[in-house]
Amino acid sequence: AAALGAPAAAPPPMPATPKPRPVAGAPRHAGNAAPPLAKPKAASHGAAPATATAPESRIYTVNELPAEIRHQLPAVAIGGSRYSPSKADRLLIVNGQVVHEGDTIAPGLVLEQIQLKAAVLEYKGYRYAVRY
């Protein structure tokens, strides 16, 4: 018999059951339920999808371009623009010339898109925006 005031012997420790660890990249879901399905992305009208694996789809500012590319950029002076919801009616005046989407402004420099207050240009695989 244990004496009064003496601590009782602790029961033997239970063996710990390790918790399963999540596997990197595995979907997270509870129980045996099926993982949720990914929602399909809305179709973009002719625009390249923005994905982590397609860095060329990113639109940079001029200052974000690599220094080597920035120094090679042809001079661009925007003198005016006309924006319209209709692509056919959009135009930009660059270096004194009227240009439309898809036109080559200078060797290797293409006007990709005319937006309301900016133009997206493409040079050597880099897309960048010029605000006006």
Side-chain angles (χ1 to χ4, degrees):
L4 281 179
M14 296 287 290
T17 305
K19 290 184 179 182
R21 294 185 179 196
V23 177
R28 292 182 173 192
H29 58 275
N32 293 331
L37 297 175
K39 292 181 182 179
K41 295 188 180 198
S44 59
H45 301 282
T51 64
T53 58
E56 65 278 357
S57 67
R58 178 175 175 205
I59 299 174
Y60 296 88
T61 64
V62 173
N63 292 335
E64 292 175 323
L65 293 170
E68 178 182 322
I69 296 295
R70 250 191 345 260
H71 294 298
Q72 297 173 11
L73 286 176
V76 173
I78 298 175
S81 70
R82 180 173 68 192
Y83 178 79
S84 169
S86 169
K87 282 185 171 188
D89 293 333
R90 298 176 196 164
L91 65 87
L92 199 63
I93 301 171
V94 181
N95 300 339
Q97 300 293 315
V98 174
V99 292
H100 298 89
E101 292 179 350
D103 288 352
T104 299
I105 298 171
L109 182 64
V110 175
L111 173 59
E112 189 174 282
Q113 185 180 37
I114 299 170
Q115 300 174 347
L116 185 59
K117 295 187 179 188
V120 177
L121 306 171
E122 190 273 328
Y123 183 73
K124 294 190 175 183
Y126 289 91
R127 296 170 68 213
Y128 68 98
V130 176
R131 297 188 114 4
Y132 47 82

